[in-house]
Amino acid sequence: MSNTMRRIGYAWMGVVLLTACGGGRLLKNEQTRERVATHLAERAAWLPELPADLDARERDGMEFLYAYMPVGDAADYAPELYLSNVRASLRAADEMPWGGTVPDELFLHYVLPVRINNENLDTSRSVFYEELKDRVRGLTMEEAILEVNHWCHEKVIYTPSDGRTMSPSAAVRNAQGRCGEESTFTVAALRAVGIPARQVYTPRWAHTDDNHAWVEAWADGKWYYFGACEPEPVLDMGWFDGPSKRGMLMHTKVFGEYVGDEEVIGRTPLYTEINVTHNYAPVAQATVLVRDTAGAAVPGARVDFGIYNYAEFYPAVRKAADAEGRTFMTAGLGDMLVWATDGDRFGYGKLSFGKQDTLTITLNHRGGIGEAYAVAFDIVPPAEGRTENRVTPEQRAANDVRLAREDSIRNAYIAGWMSKRDVFALAGRIGADTTRVWEAIATSRGNWAEVAQFLTDAAAAGELDVAFELLDVVSTKDLRDTPAAVLTDHLNGAASYKDRPYFKEYILNPRVGTELLVPYRAAMAGEPAEIEAIVARAKGIELVDSLNPARIPISALGVQRLGRGDRAARDRFFIALARSKGIPARYEPITGRLQYYDLGATCGTEAWRNVDFDGELAAASAASAVPRGRLAVDYTPSKHNDDPKYYSHFTVGKLRNGRYETIELSDPDADMGAAGSLAAIFARPVELEEGDYRLVSGTRMADGTVLSEVRYFPIRAGELTTIDMTMREDDNSVQVIGTMNPESKFVPQGATEPVSILSTTGRGYFVLALLEAKKEPTNHALRDVAALKAELEEWGRGLVFLFPTDDQLAAFDASEFGDLPGTIVYGVDRGGEVSEMLARSLELTNRNDLPIFVVADTFGRVVFFSQGYRIGLGEQMMKVVRAL
């Protein structure tokens, strides 16, 4: 037995004996104690040593976290971080009035865990507790949940960003976050005061592109939902009420081996994934049978339940068939594309939940197809459900006052960031261009002091030009949560290689995937510098994919420290090590292959080399050695779509191990505005590796239905493959769907007297919108409208955008959305005349579910209607407008 094994193994054996003694422990359930002890024994070789001087409850808490943490959390974070959070959780349980009412299992799974999803971890819980404890003391649990969410709104508001999830403290420091960051932050805040909380996530909507995350919190025996950092006057209410009723899947991941009342979607050694869709929408269960061509069951077949979103069938859930080739799924009452494979053969079929109890899939396809063929699917999302307004006008008004006060608190904090005058003074001191310094500082938001320090240090070292290149190449989010010391490590470690090829993109750039940036360059000083040795070093990393089933990114430093990681972490370690030694390395943009640049290649030859760790020995070969063909796409512009966009209207996927995986395609010339369009991507044939591919295209109708076509085709080495692409359409898509009264009146901005909609828009068709300032659904809609500025102005018809109150209109800042059409008339629906008219005419169950968009004509005939959250609303509305 190694010293490490002996040190940790004895501690784990003591767990069972000590916790069996009973009182004053967290692990009170015997089965829980046994499971924790088993996991700890299995992990003894790589888990860190527990801190000294732990009391019994602290030890239980640390051991529970150690038993189920992913391998990267042991590699990237110190034990002291976990101990800080354990002690904060125990303090909340002791001091909060509801501490003794939270069941043990809920505390273990929904209060104690530091990790919520895939966020960067921190010790914010203690800080949050100090700020919140007096605000919630004396409140009921329900009242405390509402109060915590108001506090969260003081700190953070919604802003879209990339897929990396900042830590809760970074979100607070920057005063903003996307929905995944808002919900992670809010769950952390609730857990900080001892309230069980979990992040609920719809991986993809069915009726519109995009996804969303929100929060559920437990109070007195019941789970309640709400929008993170979006306080409503009551619980079980949020702007997503309507969209969630159309959801196909809503789920949450629970830390550890959780046993509850919810349906389990999947279990891993580290977390339990549960299905909570039934809390929001009507659901039905369906069985999938997987059979071979002889009709026999296929045990262990992998089954994907795909939701159409972003022009691909996203595998929202992946299951394995049982010994009888059977699995099941509970989902909303809409359509999914179900895909099954044994790793070689595959089959697929559309499953309509609520209409089909059973779907049989035959594995009658495999790679090596001959000629191209296409299959059409009409994918229908769940129908719109009824939403209720459970808030009185008085409650709404009082809540609006609170929100405005919280906005002012947050804005006062933001006003304390570095001013433009101070930025210009900094630029003068370091001898830098004022515009570049201002752009960097302004983008960095709450991290401005770190970026200012980094630029100051870089100027002192005479490397200001390289410093700006580094700030250019990292992501916007990196500027907002990366310490100066980390940036300086990468500057110092890379600057001497600035004359090498691909310096900025693939040497200087510290980012590989969505991992947290860490100072790995100096730590790599003792690592090998020759590429052959670097490949061998990475090859030697022990692969432990099963210890990271959620694929939480592990840093290169974590892999170096632990000598373990999943495949993605091993690859990132290789890239980081190569770049640290001045060797360009990357994932090839289209294929995703791991590559390095051969600095010694003969002039004129292919210098990028593929790296394959999966063979008997790590091997490198010229990228050109992989057989390739070319793909061209023929497309006849339709009346509704003259140039389809990647991830909006079409995607291309490659067959790997029985599944098609979407590949990244972009405009090779990268002209702003053209990137991602069919015309730009296929301006000339695209080179692809030999293999089997499919092109998915889809037209989303106003009701959310998608008219999809899936075209399968081969790419053969040295050959040009030309396929036809079709954007399916419905010639009967424009229909009168209701009526309204265009004589209804509103008060235009700057006016005192009301005027009618018709007198404002004139004869013909017009767009009417009811909006809610500073709310995520309205913000999404206005960004869509801004993207269509030119077309809407050319259309030339009236656009009337109304807010419910004068205060709402005053809070609206059009500059936040780019360049909105100049044909918009803004106003106030004072007294709710327009809102009441629409609710009555269109039979709306909740007129407060905003935004509402209507396209109608002089006679009040409505041809388009949208309510609530809908990504791509502008384009769907324009399809109707173009067809008028």
Side-chain angles (χ1 to χ4, degrees):
M1 178 183 289
S2 69
N3 289 335
T4 302
M5 180 74 79
R6 183 178 297 110
R7 179 193 71 217
I8 299 180
Y10 289 158
W12 300 157
M13 287 186 283
V15 171
V16 180
L17 296 175
L18 290 171
T19 56
C21 297
R25 294 296 181 135
L26 293 182
L27 303 179
K28 299 174 184 178
N29 179 279
E30 183 177 355
Q31 289 183 325
T32 301
R33 292 197 303 268
E34 291 176 353
R35 287 195 297 262
V36 167
T38 299
H39 279 289
L40 293 175
E42 292 171 349
R43 296 161 155 246
W46 54 269
L47 278 171
E49 186 172 2
L50 286 173
D53 301 323
L54 301 180
D55 67 27
R57 292 195 305 165
E58 291 170 350
R59 178 173 289 275
D60 279 358
M62 288 293 288
E63 289 168 351
F64 185 79
L65 296 183
Y66 273 25
Y68 297 108
M69 68 170 55
V71 63
D73 285 0
D76 282 332
Y77 303 99
E80 289 72 23
L81 179 145
Y82 300 105
L83 180 58
S84 169
N85 282 279
V86 167
R87 286 174 171 164
S89 299
L90 294 173
R91 182 183 177 191
D94 291 341
E95 297 181 2
M96 289 292 100
W98 46 79
T101 70
V102 175
D104 295 340
E105 284 299 299
L106 290 187
F107 181 84
L108 285 175
H109 294 286
Y110 293 118
V111 176
L112 182 66
V114 185
R115 178 162 297 288
I116 296 160
N117 196 334
N118 60 355
E119 75 280 9
N120 306 134
L121 303 184
D122 63 21
T123 57
S124 59
R125 189 170 295 194
S126 299
V127 177
F128 293 173
Y129 181 77
E130 291 299 327
E131 288 204 34
L132 284 165
K133 62 180 182 180
D134 292 332
R135 285 180 69 150
V136 301
R137 204 184 304 275
L139 301 179
T140 67
M141 288 190 80
E142 289 184 47
E143 291 168 340
I145 293 167
L146 290 168
E147 188 62 32
V148 169
N149 204 24
H150 275 288
W151 178 83
C152 290
H153 179 249
E154 283 182 16
K155 304 294 184 181
V156 174
I157 58 170
Y158 174 80
T159 303
S161 63
D162 64 38
R164 180 168 69 83
T165 304
M166 288 193 298
S167 69
S169 59
V172 171
R173 189 163 58 250
N174 286 282
Q176 66 179 26
R178 58 177 172 80
C179 62
E181 290 161 334
E182 287 182 305
S183 52
T184 297
F185 161 53
T186 304
V187 169
L190 287 162
R191 291 182 180 181
V193 292
I195 295 175
R198 61 195 187 191
Q199 181 190 60
V200 174
Y201 187 59
T202 179
R204 294 291 189 271
W205 293 116
H207 69 288
T208 185
D209 287 344
D210 210 2
N211 54 18
H212 192 52
W214 56 91
V215 175
E216 285 185 352
W218 184 92
D220 304 319
K222 180 184 175 183
W223 287 98
Y224 295 89
Y225 73 85
F226 53 93
C229 306
E230 298 166 340
E232 295 287 354
V234 297
L235 296 175
D236 282 348
M237 185 175 185
W239 65 258
F240 51 89
D241 282 351
S244 66
K245 294 185 186 308
R246 306 191 70 185
M248 290 295 294
L249 174 69
M250 283 147 279
H251 67 139
T252 186
K253 292 178 180 177
V254 188
F255 188 89
E257 295 175 83
Y258 172 73
V259 179
D261 298 331
E262 303 90 347
E263 176 188 302
V264 174
I265 295 175
R267 290 189 186 276
T268 76
L270 309 188
Y271 64 83
T272 306
E273 188 174 359
I274 59 175
N275 190 343
V276 296
T277 311
H278 65 281
N279 291 343
Y280 302 90
V283 298
Q285 188 177 100
T287 298
V288 175
L289 305 176
V290 185
R291 300 290 182 257
D292 62 21
T293 53
V298 184
R302 293 173 290 171
V303 182
D304 294 350
F305 294 84
I307 298 174
Y308 184 93
N309 193 291
Y310 286 126
E312 63 176 355
F313 288 98
Y314 178 81
V317 173
R318 286 183 157 167
K319 290 193 165 191
D322 62 17
E324 298 178 350
R326 181 193 311 265
T327 189
F328 72 93
M329 180 69 191
T330 301
L333 305 182
D335 296 344
M336 288 188 181
L337 184 67
V338 182
W339 188 277
T341 180
D342 62 3
D344 177 24
R345 302 165 299 169
F346 61 85
Y348 51 85
K350 186 176 81 169
L351 176 56
S352 299
F353 287 87
K355 297 180 180 179
Q356 294 171 262
D357 295 328
T358 303
L359 173 67
T360 299
I361 295 181
T362 302
L363 305 187
N364 54 2
H365 300 276
R366 66 189 338 143
I369 62 174
E371 300 301 319
Y373 66 95
V375 182
F377 296 103
D378 291 358
I379 304 297
V380 181
E384 294 192 40
R386 296 175 64 89
T387 58
E388 298 179 5
N389 177 27
R390 299 183 292 106
V391 174
T392 67
E394 293 76 19
Q395 286 176 308
R396 176 60 62 195
N399 197 63
D400 287 345
V401 170
R402 286 204 68 178
L403 295 179
R405 185 168 67 249
E406 290 153 12
D407 286 340
S408 68
I409 293 171
R410 186 185 339 99
N411 291 335
Y413 161 68
I414 293 172
W417 294 348
M418 197 173 194
S419 68
K420 184 170 282 190
R421 171 187 285 185
D422 290 340
V423 170
F424 284 8
L426 170 65
R429 289 196 303 273
I430 65 176
D433 178 74
T434 54
T435 300
R436 296 191 76 178
V437 177
W438 171 247
E439 287 176 352
I441 296 295
T443 302
S444 65
R445 292 183 63 86
N447 200 44
W448 61 268
E450 298 293 329
V451 173
Q453 185 63 55
F454 167 66
L455 289 173
T456 301
D457 294 343
E463 294 290 357
L464 202 53
D465 288 344
V466 180
F468 278 117
E469 285 193 281
L470 176 58
L471 296 183
D472 286 342
V473 78
V474 298
S475 72
T476 296
K477 188 171 289 183
D478 292 334
L479 291 178
R480 294 174 179 170
D481 68 352
T482 306
V486 175
L487 294 171
T488 299
D489 171 79
H490 291 288
L491 174 66
N492 293 342
S496 62
Y497 304 117
K498 58 188 172 184
D499 294 328
R500 293 191 176 182
Y502 297 102
F503 169 72
K504 181 177 179 179
E505 302 93 335
Y506 300 128
I507 295 179
L508 176 65
N509 188 359
R511 173 153 303 293
V512 180
T514 57
E515 73 281 4
L516 177 68
L517 292 189
V518 295
Y520 60 71
R521 308 253 183 184
M524 298 289 183
E527 296 283 355
E530 298 300 321
I531 189 61
E532 293 80 5
I534 293 173
V535 172
R537 173 74 170 90
K539 175 75 172 178
I541 298 299
E542 181 182 346
L543 295 182
V544 287
D545 289 64
S546 64
L547 297 177
N548 190 25
R551 300 294 177 258
I552 295 167
I554 309 171
S555 75
L557 272 182
V559 174
Q560 184 189 45
R561 290 178 188 133
L562 213 58
R564 293 172 171 84
D566 57 19
R567 281 175 169 75
R570 184 264 319 272
D571 292 353
R572 285 193 298 271
F573 174 75
F574 167 78
I575 291 174
L577 178 52
R579 290 179 183 180
S580 296
K581 304 304 178 180
I583 301 171
R586 68 179 186 179
Y587 288 115
E588 199 276 330
I590 294 180
T591 65
R593 284 185 179 274
L594 191 64
Q595 294 183 332
Y596 72 89
Y597 189 84
D598 186 354
L599 295 169
T602 305
C603 181
T605 63
E606 174 60 59
W608 283 107
R609 304 282 189 244
N610 294 324
V611 178
D612 178 15
F613 289 119
D614 295 326
E616 285 297 317
L617 295 173
S621 62
S624 58
V626 178
R628 294 172 179 258
R630 293 177 299 150
L631 173 65
V633 176
D634 279 346
Y635 175 71
T636 301
S638 69
K639 62 181 179 180
H640 296 318
N641 197 332
D642 60 352
D643 192 10
K645 305 297 188 294
Y646 205 71
Y647 282 126
S648 291
H649 307 110
F650 76 101
T651 56
V652 176
K654 188 176 190 294
L655 183 65
R656 296 186 177 99
N657 301 317
R659 288 169 168 150
Y660 283 89
E661 299 176 2
T662 301
I663 62 176
E664 298 294 330
L665 293 179
S666 59
D667 171 17
D669 297 323
D671 293 330
M672 186 64 72
S677 75
L678 180 72
I681 294 172
F682 290 99
R684 46 190 174 272
V686 172
E687 189 175 70
L688 297 173
E689 292 183 356
E690 184 177 44
D692 294 298
Y693 291 80
R694 75 176 182 186
L695 185 148
V696 177
S697 62
T699 301
R700 193 179 289 279
M701 313 305 292
D703 67 353
T705 296
V706 175
L707 307 180
S708 176
E709 181 180 90
V710 183
R711 188 170 295 272
Y712 298 87
F713 60 93
I715 293 292
R716 298 187 178 94
E719 297 183 12
L720 172 66
T721 298
T722 301
I723 63 169
D724 295 325
M725 174 173 152
T726 301
M727 295 299 300
R728 296 175 57 211
E729 296 183 349
D730 182 352
D731 293 334
N732 299 315
S733 61
V734 178
Q735 301 174 4
V736 176
I737 58 177
T739 60
M740 60 160 287
N741 180 11
E743 295 291 352
S744 298
K745 294 184 177 181
F746 70 98
V747 180
Q749 186 176 32
T752 57
E753 297 299 321
V755 298
S756 72
I757 297 169
L758 186 57
S759 67
T760 305
T761 62
R763 297 290 174 179
Y765 285 97
F766 60 85
V767 177
L768 170 67
L770 301 184
L771 309 173
E772 189 172 16
K774 307 297 183 182
K775 293 291 186 178
E776 182 177 344
T778 290
N779 293 347
H780 274 296
L782 290 176
R783 290 188 187 97
D784 280 358
V785 171
L788 294 164
K789 168 184 165 66
E791 194 167 0
L792 285 168
E793 289 181 343
E794 184 179 353
W795 185 46
R797 306 297 176 86
L799 309 175
V800 177
F801 286 15
L802 306 181
F803 293 86
T805 66
D806 291 280
D807 288 343
Q808 277 275 305
L809 178 57
F812 168 67
D813 182 1
S815 66
E816 294 178 4
F817 308 101
D819 198 3
L820 288 163
T823 49
I824 297 175
V825 174
Y826 298 100
V828 178
D829 182 21
R830 200 172 290 166
E833 179 180 340
V834 175
S835 175
E836 289 180 8
M837 176 273 296
L838 289 177
R840 185 173 57 254
S841 301
L842 299 176
E843 300 181 354
L844 306 182
T845 59
N846 182 6
R847 67 179 185 175
N848 296 313
D849 184 12
L850 302 178
I852 292 173
F853 278 79
V854 172
V855 178
D857 68 3
T858 301
F859 304 101
R861 295 177 296 198
V862 177
V863 295
F864 175 85
F865 171 78
S866 173
Q867 183 174 23
Y869 178 78
R870 178 177 289 181
I871 290 294
L873 175 144
E875 181 182 331
Q876 294 161 25
M877 184 170 66
M878 287 309 300
K879 287 177 184 175
V880 174
V881 167
R882 295 178 192 123
L884 294 175

